[in-house]
């Protein structure tokens, strides 16, 4: 068990910089998820922590030790690879016990630890099998067992679930979470799947082009994205980003679109009238029907339905407001509406996020969201500048 | 159903020409050679228009293995065994070693790979001639030390009369049993970790018992010959082994390098994180994973060594008894001495020895296919 600290970590491949000075502090026992699109440098960062890639600049600490020059085998980290990287010629037992064997532990201890891990992962019947005789999910478990047996300081996961089918992925995700709760080992988890990030993480680190975009709890990055990229990367369907102008109407500061005006919940000093803004609304912050009751009348307007998609318990509505603004709403229940029909919609404008259209960075928040997780840092700017405060639960 | 049978007929018709040709020219001729080896075709009238040939059973084989006059064949056979073993150890070992070095991606890896593979492209006659010069008594390798101011070597690479690891052919049966016991024990020891009980019962115990019986009662075993006849590793064959290793280690290197490249980098990384050193990685992960390649290399090289002809011909000529080989002997017996029956018997012995290598391989690969 150990904290992990990255200080201005840079990775260059030849002349190409892929990681541009990352600062990140990961607390002991914390579950951190690095998420971002392909090529954002998330796997590279993980591999630098593991010692599989050299560090071009900056420092990485595991515990109190700077590991820049430390061999992977001496870092006491365990990694689960995307393709599991099981040794194909060894049995499950030998795969799981290999690290202990390398550490010259007595055979009795190896057997004991492997059996213990195997019983926890329900792998006992398969100990004498070779990986080729296992299903994808079982291989995944063996890979995790191999990591657990070592009792490492840090677990590293490199997209471990991406080779599984959707159902198994959900199941393994839950098991991973349970395992983490059981072992409470510092974990760094890389994925491109924002659902995994949202469900597993204590804190999510969103990366793009080798830069941290935001660090925060899942709720934080969902409700208060630091910029348009985060807003659209986290959440499915992504946040609706609309254009508007800051205006004052009947004494209240708000956002004006072509035909409508939505007052903000509170006055904000950093906005001025006539300022162009982008405003973001989560699809679930758009209400119709009965849920409208909770929305004040000034946050309502009329929209045309373009398409409805029923997901099962929820429905997705493609809406057009003011004849030109397209947005997606996610509403409860099965809603069946004719294309072209009109519907009254209400925006939870207390959840709106304003962005600067030039920089696409968020303008500081409208309101504190109710139910924001405790212990998160309210000053989003901190995350923004890639200076991260330790998250302590 | 009709579709299937039509497909089968088509497949059969397509294969028929090759089945017929292989049937005649491979298996038919093997059968013919076996038949000839069981006759007395040879001697003065061998090349007569209608030679007198009569069936004599296994007499030719008995002569070859125990006959008074066939000591040269027995030494050739011993040569072939030592030659195969040393070539395998040398070419597989060296090839694997170079492959490991190149697998670490040194500068100019492509260039080096070509250089190491290049000897493969030479004909044995060419490389044999080069090595004959290099291993000449007063030139080449032997005068290398003089460049460092030392005395030249005096070893007779291709003409040495010395022999080591001698054994008496009279005890052939005992030696074969010792080897069998040794193999049983080795197989048992390898399987000890996986299933101690089975390994003990099936392999180690029988091995120890056979070994003990031969050791205690070896004198009671029938002797192969009436008189003592010593055979061993002729040091003159070292030059030939050296040349063959030089020619083939590039080939095994290419096999292993392709294998190493096929192993996912993640496995190496996983091993590193599991605490394995580079040496551990190759010993415990990479080389065991390439077992199929090792087996292929052993099969291919053992065939080459059992059929070796032209390299020895080029390096020492066919008549140098010290570096003799059954294949050369077969040629000399058949076409110079016109002893067709005995030549055929030598050919069949070589065929059987080669089969000893290839049949277990075919069985195991067939089983693997079935198991999948």
């Amino acid at each position: 068990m150990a904290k992990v600290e990255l200080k201005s970590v840079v990775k260059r491949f030849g002349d190409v910089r892929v990681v541009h000075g990352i600062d990140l502090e990961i607390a002991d026992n914390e579950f951190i998820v690095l998420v971002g699109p392909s090529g954002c440098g998330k796997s590279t960062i993980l591999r630098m922590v593991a010692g599989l890639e050299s560090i071009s600049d900056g420092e990485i600490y595991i515990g109190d030790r700077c590991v820049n020059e430390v061999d992977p085998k001496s870092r006491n980290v365990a990694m689960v690879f995307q393709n599991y990287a099981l040794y194909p010629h060894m049995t499950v037992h030998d795969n799981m016990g290999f690290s202990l064997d390398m550490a010259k532990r007595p055979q009795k201890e190896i057997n004991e630890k492997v059996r213990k891990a195997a019983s926890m992962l329900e792998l006992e019947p398969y100990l004498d099998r070779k990986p080729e005789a296992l299903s994808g999910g079982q291989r995944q478990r063996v890979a995790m067992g191999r990591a657990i047996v070592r009792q490492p300081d840090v677990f590293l996961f490199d997209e471990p679930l991406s080779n599984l089918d959707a159902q198994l992925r959900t199941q393994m995700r839950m098991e991973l979470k349970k395992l983490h709760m059981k072992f409470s080992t510092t974990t760094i988890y890389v994925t491109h799947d924002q659902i995994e990030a949202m469900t597993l993480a204590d804190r999510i680190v969103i990366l793009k082009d080798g830069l941290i975009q935001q660090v925060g709890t899942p709720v934080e990055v969902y409700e208060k994205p630091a910029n348009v990229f985060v807003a659209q990367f986290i959440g499915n369907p992504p946040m609706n980003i609309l254009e508007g102008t800051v205006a004052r109407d009947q004494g209240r500061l708000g956002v004006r679109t072509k035909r409508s005006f939505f007052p903000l919940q509170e006055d904000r000093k950093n906005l001025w009238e006539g300022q162009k803004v982008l405003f973001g609304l989560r699809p679930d912050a758009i209400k119709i029907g009965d849920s409208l009751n909770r929305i004040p009348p000034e946050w309502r307007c009329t929209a045309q339905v373009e398409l409805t998609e029923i997901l099962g318990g929820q429905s997705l509505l493609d809406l057009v407001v003011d004849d030109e603004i397209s947005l997606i709403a996610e509403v409860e229940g099965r809603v069946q509406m004719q294309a072209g029909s009109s519907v009254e919609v209400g925006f939870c404008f207390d959840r709106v996020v304003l962005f600067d259209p030039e920089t696409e960075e968020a303008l500081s928040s409208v309101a504190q969201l109710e139910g924001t997780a405790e212990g998160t840092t309210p000053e989003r700017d901190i995350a923004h500048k890639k200076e991260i405060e330790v998250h302590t639960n | 159903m009709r579709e299937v049978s039509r497909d089968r007929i088509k497949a059969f018709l397509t294969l028929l020409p090759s089945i017929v040709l292989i049937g005649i020219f491979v298996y038919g001729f093997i059968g013919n050679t076996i038949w000839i080896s069981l006759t007395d075709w040879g001697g003065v009238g061998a090349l007569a228009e209608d030679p007198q040939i009569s069936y004599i059973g296994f007499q030719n084989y008995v002569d070859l293995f125990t006959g008074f006059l066939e000591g040269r064949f027995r030494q050739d056979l011993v040569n072939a065994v030592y030659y195969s073993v040393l070539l395998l150890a040398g070419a597989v070992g060296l090839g694997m070693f170079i492959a490991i070095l190149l697998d670490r991606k040194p500068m100019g890896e492509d260039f080096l790979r070509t250089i190491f593979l290049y000897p493969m492209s030479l004909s044995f006659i060419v490389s044999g001639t080069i090595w004959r010069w290099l291993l000449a008594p007063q030139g080449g390798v032997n005068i290398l030390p003089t460049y460092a101011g030392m005395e030249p070597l005096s070893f007779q690479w291709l003409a040495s009369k010395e022999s080591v690891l001698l054994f008496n052919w009279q005890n052939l049966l005992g030696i074969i049993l010792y080897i069998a016991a040794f193999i049983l024990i080795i197989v048992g020891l390898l399987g000890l970790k996986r299933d101690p009980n089975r390994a003990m019962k099936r392999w180690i115990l029988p091995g120890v018992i056979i070994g003990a019986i031969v050791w205690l009662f070896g004198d009671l075993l029938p002797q192969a010959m009436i008189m003592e006849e010593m055979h061993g590793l002729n040091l003159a064959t070292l030059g030939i082994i050296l040349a063959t290793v030089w020619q083939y280690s590039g080939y095994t290197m290419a096999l292993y390098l392709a294998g190493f490249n096929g192993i996912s980098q993640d496995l190496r990384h996983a091993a590193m994180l599991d605490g394995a050193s580079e040496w551990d990685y190759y010993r415990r992960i990479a080389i065991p994973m390439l077992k199929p390649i090792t087996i292929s290399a052993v099969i291919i090289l053992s065939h080459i060594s059992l059929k070796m002809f032209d390299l020895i011909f080029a390096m020492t000529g066919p008549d140098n008894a010290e570096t003799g080989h059954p294949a050369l002997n077969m040629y000399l017996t058949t076409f110079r001495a016109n002893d067709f029956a005995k030549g055929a018997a030598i050919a069949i012995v070589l065929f059987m020895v080669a089969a000893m290598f290839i049949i277990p391989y075919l069985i195991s690969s067939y089983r693997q296919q079935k198991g999948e």
Side-chain angles (χ1 to χ4, degrees):
Chain A
M1 265 157 267
K3 67 182 175 115
V4 177
E5 208 178 337
L6 283 73
K7 290 184 178 169
S8 317
V9 171
V10 172
K11 179 67 195 178
R12 278 184 293 265
F13 290 109
D15 293 335
V16 187
R17 260 163 85 115
V18 292
V19 175
H20 302 265
I22 295 284
D23 287 291
L24 184 63
E25 207 168 296
I26 301 163
D28 196 5
N29 302 346
E30 194 177 5
F31 199 122
I32 278 274
V33 174
L34 306 182
V35 66
S38 309
C40 69
K42 54 191 190 298
S43 286
T44 310
I45 294 171
L46 193 77
R47 297 163 74 82
M48 282 194 282
V49 175
L52 303 176
E53 296 283 1
S54 62
I55 301 160
S56 308
D57 223 331
E59 285 169 333
I60 294 181
Y61 287 83
I62 296 178
D64 298 323
R65 182 169 62 140
C66 175
V67 294
N68 281 33
E69 302 299 325
V70 178
D71 273 346
K73 62 175 177 179
S74 313
R75 294 191 184 193
N76 200 19
V77 298
M79 184 153 165
V80 175
F81 292 83
Q82 182 175 358
N83 58 10
Y84 319 135
L86 301 178
Y87 311 124
H89 60 295
M90 292 186 194
T91 60
V92 169
H93 179 281
D94 292 349
N95 261 288
M96 287 167 72
F98 185 70
S99 59
L100 299 175
D101 196 11
M102 285 290 106
K104 307 254 181 316
R105 310 305 306 168
Q107 191 64 41
K108 201 177 151 205
E109 181 192 327
I110 297 177
N111 290 345
E112 217 165 81
K113 284 190 170 166
V114 168
R115 291 222 173 266
K116 209 171 137 197
S119 79
M120 204 151 45
L121 293 161
E122 293 165 24
L123 280 172
E124 271 176 317
Y126 310 110
L127 280 177
D128 292 327
R129 287 203 196 168
K130 297 228 171 115
E132 62 181 7
L134 299 177
S135 69
Q138 287 162 346
R139 287 179 204 186
Q140 171 67 57
R141 273 174 226 265
V142 176
M144 289 202 291
R146 190 168 69 177
I148 289 170
V149 163
R150 296 186 48 192
Q151 295 172 313
D153 286 338
V154 184
F155 278 130
L156 305 174
F157 291 92
D158 191 2
E159 311 213 14
L161 305 183
S162 51
N163 283 0
L164 301 177
D165 62 51
Q167 205 178 356
L168 205 52
R169 201 179 304 167
T170 314
Q171 187 192 336
M172 291 304 292
R173 207 169 63 206
M174 275 154 53
E175 287 188 31
L176 257 171
K177 187 81 186 164
K178 282 184 204 156
L179 276 177
H180 179 251
M181 290 195 290
K182 189 160 188 169
F183 288 101
S184 313
T185 303
T186 313
T187 303
I188 308 177
Y189 186 104
V190 161
T191 181
H192 62 263
D193 180 348
Q194 49 99 13
I195 298 180
E196 278 171 32
M198 293 293 283
T199 48
L200 288 170
D202 291 329
R203 281 191 307 159
I204 298 178
V205 179
I206 297 137
L207 291 147
K208 183 192 168 197
D209 300 334
L211 279 171
I212 291 182
Q213 303 296 310
Q214 188 174 7
V215 181
T217 63
V219 176
E220 228 173 1
V221 297
Y222 187 76
E223 290 295 346
K224 298 190 292 175
N227 55 34
V228 172
F229 173 78
V230 175
Q232 299 207 304
F233 191 80
I234 298 289
N236 184 26
M239 187 180 256
N240 296 296
I241 305 289
L242 315 170
E243 287 176 13
T245 314
V246 177
R248 196 173 285 277
D249 194 336
Q250 295 168 359
R252 288 186 72 179
L253 196 68
V255 179
R256 185 180 295 287
T257 62
K258 199 171 166 195
R259 280 184 225 152
S260 316
F261 175 78
F262 304 103
L264 292 170
Q265 203 175 28
E266 56 183 15
D267 235 22
R268 285 165 57 174
K269 292 200 180 86
N270 60 344
L271 299 178
W272 64 90
E273 282 176 59
Q275 183 186 4
K276 297 265 184 233
V277 289
L278 296 173
F279 65 103
L281 277 169
R282 287 282 169 202
D284 59 326
I286 302 172
K287 307 289 183 194
I288 61 163
D290 295 345
S291 332
L292 274 177
N293 299 339
R294 277 178 279 147
I295 313 278
E298 67 265 28
W299 287 347
R300 298 186 196 173
C301 68
T302 311
Q304 270 72 48
V305 178
E306 289 220 305
L307 185 71
T308 56
E309 294 171 282
I310 296 172
L311 302 179
Q314 297 100 28
S315 306
L316 294 183
L317 303 181
D318 281 21
L319 304 171
V320 176
V321 179
D322 290 3
D323 293 334
E324 59 170 23
I325 307 167
S326 296
L327 39 81
I328 296 177
E330 186 179 354
V331 297
E332 287 302 314
R334 284 182 279 276
V335 178
Q336 196 64 278
M337 266 186 252
Q338 281 289 320
S341 59
S342 288
V343 62
E344 189 182 20
V345 298
F347 299 144
C348 301
F349 230 63
D350 49 346
R351 285 172 61 191
V352 79
V353 187
L354 300 184
F355 302 97
D356 183 325
E358 296 276 310
T359 62
E360 300 203 335
E361 302 289 340
L363 300 161
S364 53
S365 67
V366 178
Q368 276 302 105
L369 178 87
E370 266 181 71
T372 300
E374 277 180 21
T376 57
T377 49
E379 301 89 338
R380 175 130 38 67
D381 293 353
I382 290 178
H384 202 168
K385 286 176 185 153
K386 297 133 219 146
E387 290 271 345
I388 314 309
E389 293 224 345
V390 191
H391 163 80
T392 43
N393 264 339
Chain B
M1 192 63 200
R2 279 194 55 180
E3 264 311 295
V4 173
S5 59
R6 262 177 66 178
D7 268 1
R8 285 190 159 206
I9 291 168
K10 273 190 205 161
F12 179 73
L13 286 177
T14 317
L15 289 174
L16 192 63
S18 44
I19 291 174
V20 169
L21 290 174
I22 289 177
I24 295 171
F25 289 101
V26 178
Y27 295 97
F29 283 19
I30 289 174
N32 190 249
T33 308
I34 292 175
W35 162 246
I36 291 170
S37 76
L38 302 176
T39 66
D40 64 351
W41 187 14
V44 185
L47 292 175
E49 206 170 318
D50 185 18
Q52 290 291 309
I53 300 175
S54 45
Y55 174 77
I56 54 166
F58 287 94
Q59 192 55 48
N60 285 321
Y61 295 95
V62 175
D63 280 353
L64 282 178
F65 282 95
T66 61
F68 199 59
L69 295 173
E70 300 297 341
R72 167 128 186 223
F73 167 76
R74 293 188 281 272
Q75 179 57 45
D76 288 351
L77 199 61
V78 171
N79 278 353
V81 170
Y82 281 124
Y83 177 58
S84 299
V85 170
L86 292 176
L87 169 66
L88 282 177
V92 171
L94 188 63
M96 195 186 278
F97 178 69
I98 299 173
I100 288 173
L101 292 184
L102 290 187
D103 187 40
R104 310 189 57 176
K105 311 278 179 266
M107 270 222 326
E109 183 219 334
D110 292 347
F111 179 64
L112 289 171
R113 197 171 49 203
T114 315
I115 285 188
F116 287 123
L117 194 54
Y118 195 65
M120 258 289 277
S121 65
L122 293 180
S123 114
F124 274 129
I125 295 296
V126 174
S127 58
T129 309
I130 295 170
W131 277 98
R132 190 180 68 208
W133 293 337
L134 284 175
L135 299 176
Q138 275 142 17
V141 173
N142 275 0
I143 58 165
L144 271 184
T146 61
Y147 288 103
M150 289 184 281
E151 286 293 301
L153 297 175
S154 59
F155 183 64
Q156 305 271 308
W157 287 96
L158 299 169
S160 168
K161 301 278 177 200
E162 274 178 75
S163 235
V164 292
L165 299 170
L166 288 169
F167 66 93
N168 186 354
W169 190 267
Q170 277 182 307
N171 306 329
L172 186 63
L173 203 55
I175 290 166
I176 290 173
L177 287 173
Y178 270 134
I179 292 173
F182 178 73
I183 291 173
L184 285 173
I185 292 172
I186 290 289
V187 170
L189 288 177
L190 289 178
L192 200 59
K193 207 174 161 191
R194 205 177 310 147
D195 188 350
N197 203 4
R198 199 183 132 180
M200 211 61 192
K201 263 193 197 148
R202 251 180 104 163
W203 304 105
I204 296 181
L205 211 59
V208 170
I209 290 172
I210 292 174
I213 289 175
V214 176
W215 190 63
L216 287 174
F217 307 107
D219 297 343
L220 303 177
L221 286 172
Q223 294 198 323
M225 296 186 70
I226 44 167
M227 53 179 277
E228 194 178 84
E229 185 179 287
M230 300 307 284
H231 292 290
L233 168 61
N234 286 347
L235 294 186
T237 58
L238 286 181
I240 291 169
I241 291 165
L242 192 66
T244 326
V245 168
W246 174 81
Q247 186 140 17
Y248 273 101
S249 48
Y251 171 65
T252 48
M253 173 216 73
L255 286 179
Y256 278 113
L257 201 55
F260 287 146
N261 284 336
I263 297 176
S264 151
Q265 277 295 307
D266 281 349
L267 273 186
R268 180 197 282 262
H269 290 153
M272 278 164 75
L273 286 169
D274 272 345
S277 60
E278 287 279 327
W279 162 242
D280 289 325
Y281 165 70
Y282 285 106
R283 192 172 63 95
R284 298 287 304 271
I285 311 283
I287 293 170
M289 272 179 75
L290 298 188
K291 203 166 105 189
I293 287 182
T294 305
I295 292 173
S296 307
V298 167
I299 300 274
I300 292 165
L301 288 180
S302 53
H303 272 245
I304 288 168
S305 66
L306 287 173
K307 294 187 296 196
M308 185 49 70
F309 185 92
D310 31 7
L311 184 74
I312 303 172
F313 205 109
M315 288 182 77
T316 60
D319 296 308
N320 187 18
E322 266 67 40
T323 57
H325 189 285
L328 280 167
N329 194 334
M330 174 180 74
Y331 166 74
L332 297 178
T333 309
T334 314
F335 298 111
R336 212 190 262 173
N338 288 342
D339 200 344
F340 294 108
K342 200 158 269 168
I346 296 174
I348 295 301
V349 170
L350 268 182
F351 174 68
M352 291 297 174
V353 176
M356 267 165 32
F357 282 93
I358 201 161
I359 286 176
Y361 171 68
L362 290 180
I363 289 176
S364 78
S365 58
Y366 178 68
R367 269 192 197 154
Q368 252 169 23
Q369 270 174 15
K370 242 177 143 184
E372 269 165 17

